[in-house]
Amino acid sequence: MSPNDTSKPANAQWGGRFASGPSEVMERINASIGFDRRLFAQDIAGSRAHARMLVAQGILSDEDGNAIQGGLDTISREIESGEFSFSAALEDIHMNIESRLRELIGDAAGRLHTARSRNDQVATDFRLWVRDEIDQVDTALQALQGALLDKAETHADTILPGFTHLQTAQPVTLGHHLLAYVEMFGRDRGRFADARARLNELPLGAGALAGTSFDIDRHAVAADLGFDRPMANSLDAVSDRDFALEFMAAASICMAHVSRFAEEIVVWCSDGFGFMKLSDAYTTGSSMMPQKRNPDAAELSRAKAGRVFGDLLGLLTVMKGLPLAYSKDMQEDKEPVFDAADSLALALAATTGMITDMEPVTENMRAAAGRGYSTATDLADWLVRAAGVPFRDAHGITGAVVKKAEDRGVGLAELPLDEMQAVDPRITEDVFDVLTVEASVASRTSYGGTAPENVRAAVVDARVRFLGDA
C-alpha cells in the first residue's frame, strides 16, 4: 500500500473531523495496542469505577450503568481467554475496549466516556499498572531476602575472605556477606514503597487537561480504586510521568544490587576462586568445551541491569523537553517501563533460585581466607590492647612482621615468635591466640560485625524487620 493512499475510511472513533484515514506509516507509528494491551485489566477497572461514579452522580442511568458493567465483564473474559480480537486501526487498549463495548451494548458504551479523556484515562491505567507491579516486586524481593537469610543462617560459621579492591582484606563469614545483600534489598523495598506512596493519587477526572464541567465525584473514584486522593491539579494529572521514572529509578538501583551479587557468583564459581558451585539448573555447557559449566543465569542477570538503566534514561529523555500538558511523545512511556519491570522480575527470580541452589565449597573458602595475611589487623589490634601501642605505631610494626612472614613464605600464625620479637619485643606468645582466621572472625563482635554469634542474631532481627516473623 502506498504511504499516500487515502482510500481507507476514517477511524470512526475520531469523529467527523478528518475526511480520510491515516496513511499506513501514520497508523503504525500512532498505534500502541501492540504493547498497551497489557493495561487491559487496569483499563477495565478504571472504567468500572468511573461508570459507578457517573451512576451515583445521576449523570448516567442505572440501566446504562448495568449494561456497561455487564459488557466489561464479557470483555474481561474474552481478553483473559484469548478470544478478544485486537485491532491496530483502533490504536490503543482504550479504543479497542470501547469499540467492543459498543458492539455488545450499543449507545450506552459511548456514554461511558462522559467526563473523561483518554489523557486522564491512560494516566490512571498506567498508575494502576505500576502500583500493581510494585506490589509484585515487593513480594519477589521479600522471597529473595528469605532465601538469603536461610543461606546466611546455615553458613553463620563458614569462613571466606573479605575483600577490598578484590584483594584479601580480612576474614568474614559467608553468612555475614549474604546479610549485606539482605540489607541492600531491604532498602530497595523501601524505595519501591516510597514510589508507591507518591504515585497513589488518582488522575481520572482531570479530563484532557482542564477538568470537566460535569458534577463528578473524584474522591469517590479514588477510594473505589484504592488511591489515597485525587490529584490536585488537572494539568499535572495528565502530563507527568514521574511515577514511572521513580519506579524505574528504584528498579535501576535494585538491579545494580542484583548485578553486584551476580558478579560475585560469577567470580566465586570461577576456577580461580572455586568458592561456589551451581547445579545444571542455573548453568549451561559449552558448544565446544565439554568440561565447562558456565554461570549463565548470573551473567544474564548482570546484563539485564544495563537494559533497565537504558529504559530509565530513555524515558527521562522523552520527558525532559515536553511542555504542559499532554504530548503524543508520552505514548513512548510504557514500553521502557514494561521492559524494565519484566527484566527486574526475571532477574529477581533467577537470583532467588541461584541463592537456593548454590553450594559453598567451604574448604576452598577457608584456605583462601588464610592467605594474604588477612589477620594482620588482628595483630595490630592485639598490640594496641595488650601492649598499649598507639594504633599508628602498631600498624607500622605489623607491616614489618608481615614483611618477615612474606620473606619466609609463611603465614602470620606460622612465623616464629622470636622473628616477631625481633621487630618489637613487646610481642608475646599470647599473640598466637588472635592470628587464626577463626579467632579473627570470632573477635568481630561489634554491632554489625561478622562474628558468628552476631550473624545468628542479625538473621533473627532481619526476619522480624523484613519478613514479619514474630
Side-chain angles (χ1 to χ4, degrees), residues 13 37 43-44 119 128 142 164 167 169 176 211 221 231 251 257 262 359 376 388 418 422 435:
Q13 303 295 335
R37 66 179 65 185
D43 192 73
I44 289 173
N119 293 357
L128 286 169
Q142 189 176 56
T164 61
Q167 306 293 312
H176 188 62
V221 179
M231 296 187 73
H257 292 150
E359 287 297 329
D418 61 344
L435 294 183

Side-chain angles (χ1 to χ4, degrees), residues 38 42 125-141 192 196 199 247 251 337-346 348:
R38 293 179 67 161
Q42 290 77 21
D125 293 357
F126 202 16
R127 281 178 183 259
L128 286 169
W129 191 92
V130 172
R131 190 178 72 183
D132 290 344
E133 193 63 26
I134 287 174
D135 292 342
Q136 293 181 47
V137 169
D138 186 71
T139 298
L141 281 168
F192 282 113
R196 191 191 194 283
L199 74 78
F247 168 74
V337 173
F338 293 159
D339 183 71
D342 291 345
S343 296
L344 175 62
L346 188 55
L348 291 177

Side-chain angles (χ1 to χ4, degrees), residues 92-155:
D92 56 31
I93 187 62
H94 324 296
M95 300 315 300
N96 270 264
I97 288 176
E98 185 173 327
S99 177
R100 177 59 177 149
L101 188 62
R102 184 177 287 273
E103 292 175 356
L104 290 170
I105 67 171
D107 289 345
R111 297 188 182 99
L112 173 61
H113 208 55
T114 304
R116 76 175 182 184
S117 162
R118 280 198 295 182
N119 293 357
D120 60 343
Q121 186 179 359
V122 67
T124 300
D125 293 357
F126 202 16
R127 281 178 183 259
L128 286 169
W129 191 92
V130 172
R131 190 178 72 183
D132 290 344
E133 193 63 26
I134 287 174
D135 292 342
Q136 293 181 47
V137 169
D138 186 71
T139 298
L141 281 168
Q142 189 176 56
L144 174 53
Q145 288 179 298
L148 285 165
L149 286 166
D150 289 345
K151 194 70 75 170
E153 187 172 31
T154 300
H155 293 283

Side-chain angles (χ1 to χ4, degrees), residues 159-242:
I159 293 174
L160 80 162
F163 298 103
T164 61
H165 310 278
L166 209 56
Q167 306 293 312
T168 300
Q170 292 176 293
V172 296
T173 66
L174 178 58
H176 188 62
H177 193 107
L178 297 177
L179 285 174
Y181 285 97
V182 172
E183 297 298 326
M184 293 181 205
F185 290 123
R187 291 192 295 275
D188 289 325
R189 290 179 65 191
R191 275 181 281 272
F192 282 113
D194 289 345
R196 191 191 194 283
R198 269 184 289 278
L199 74 78
N200 206 37
E201 296 183 341
L202 173 73
L204 203 60
L209 74 162
T212 177
S213 60
F214 288 94
D215 182 24
I216 61 173
D217 186 349
R218 295 187 64 206
H219 288 84
V221 179
D224 195 345
L225 292 172
F227 288 103
D228 295 329
R229 63 192 67 83
M231 296 187 73
N233 183 281
S234 61
L235 283 166
D236 176 46
V238 300
S239 64
D240 205 355
R241 295 295 185 266
D242 56 356

